[in-house]
Amino acid sequence: MTKTAPAAVRGRRLDPDRKQRIIDACLKVVAERGVAGTSHRVVAAAAGVPLGSMTYHFAGMEDLLHQAFDQFARRSAARFAVRMRVTGSPRDACEAIAAYIEEDPLFAGGDLNINLELYTIAARDPAYRDITDHWMASSRAEIGRFFDPATASALDAMIEGLTLHRALGTGWQDPAALREAIRRVAFGETSGAR
């Protein structure tokens, strides 16, 4: 007679996406409740997995948060890279940056909240700075294909700031003003220069 593995063991083998579901659920919880409201129990419930799955896949809450934020940052950097890769000149790069700010994925699905939570945790805990460092370096590298390092850094910082301003409704809603501001940083152009 052949022995059959218990259902729990069989289920684990048949659920190869469980770890990813937990990470996705973690990001959803962070977007809704912030890091302070994120716990193993809340994430497990959101992912629809047993609480024991949390410690099976992650060394602790810090490990889960780090992996979730890292995945979020890498996805965000990849979206920006796709947009920048279709540009062929510095002028096109400025337009791509403006379009990214206008259509930025941070405006949907709680991504703005996740982004802000990442910045907050990285400001308080250096263990998360590898994520923000990699994200910023990736953005600067894409921009740096068209501009010197100092300009690339300034444009990268400008993207962060303008994205936040647009998301919170504090300005930069005018497409022409947005593009002029980007050209000022990129080329030193002032009003009226095109």
Side-chain angles (χ1 to χ4, degrees):
M1 174 179 228
T2 306
K3 251 185 160 177
T4 305
V9 173
R10 286 193 317 266
R12 185 179 303 140
R13 288 187 189 133
L14 297 175
D15 192 3
D17 299 325
R18 183 174 287 186
K19 182 176 181 181
Q20 186 59 51
R21 280 201 332 272
I22 293 169
I23 288 173
D24 292 341
C26 180
L27 289 171
K28 182 178 182 212
V29 170
V30 166
E32 293 170 357
R33 298 176 174 219
V35 169
T38 303
S39 68
H40 284 295
R41 188 171 305 283
V42 172
V43 173
V49 301
L51 189 56
S53 293
M54 305 301 289
T55 55
Y56 179 80
H57 290 289
F58 304 97
M61 183 52 67
E62 291 78 18
D63 182 32
L64 171 56
L65 285 169
H66 195 280
Q67 288 190 46
F69 279 131
D70 186 57
Q71 196 170 102
F72 168 79
R74 289 180 187 277
R75 261 194 332 251
S76 298
R79 283 191 298 252
F80 182 68
V82 166
R83 187 176 292 277
M84 293 301 290
R85 293 286 163 99
V86 299
T87 62
S89 70
R91 296 270 174 199
D92 291 343
C94 288
E95 180 56 36
I97 289 169
Y100 183 78
I101 292 167
E102 290 171 330
E103 303 162 16
D104 191 282
L106 291 179
F107 298 130
D111 282 4
L112 175 65
N113 292 347
I114 297 167
N115 193 37
L116 295 175
E117 289 289 329
L118 171 57
Y119 288 158
T120 301
I121 200 168
R124 292 186 178 134
D125 186 346
Y128 293 86
R129 299 232 179 101
D130 64 310
I131 299 170
T132 54
D133 289 347
H134 178 269
W135 191 358
M136 287 184 248
S138 174
S139 296
R140 285 192 305 266
E142 289 300 327
I143 299 166
R145 292 174 41 242
F146 303 98
F147 302 101
D148 64 86
T151 303
S153 291
L155 286 168
D156 184 42
M158 184 178 201
I159 292 167
E160 295 293 328
L162 290 178
T163 299
L164 185 59
H165 279 244
R166 283 185 48 77
L168 299 178
T170 58
W172 299 103
Q173 304 300 323
D174 177 31
L178 172 64
R179 283 158 177 78
E180 181 179 331
I182 292 167
R183 286 192 305 269
R184 281 181 184 223
V185 173
F187 307 117
E189 293 180 2
T190 57
S191 187
R194 299 283 184 252

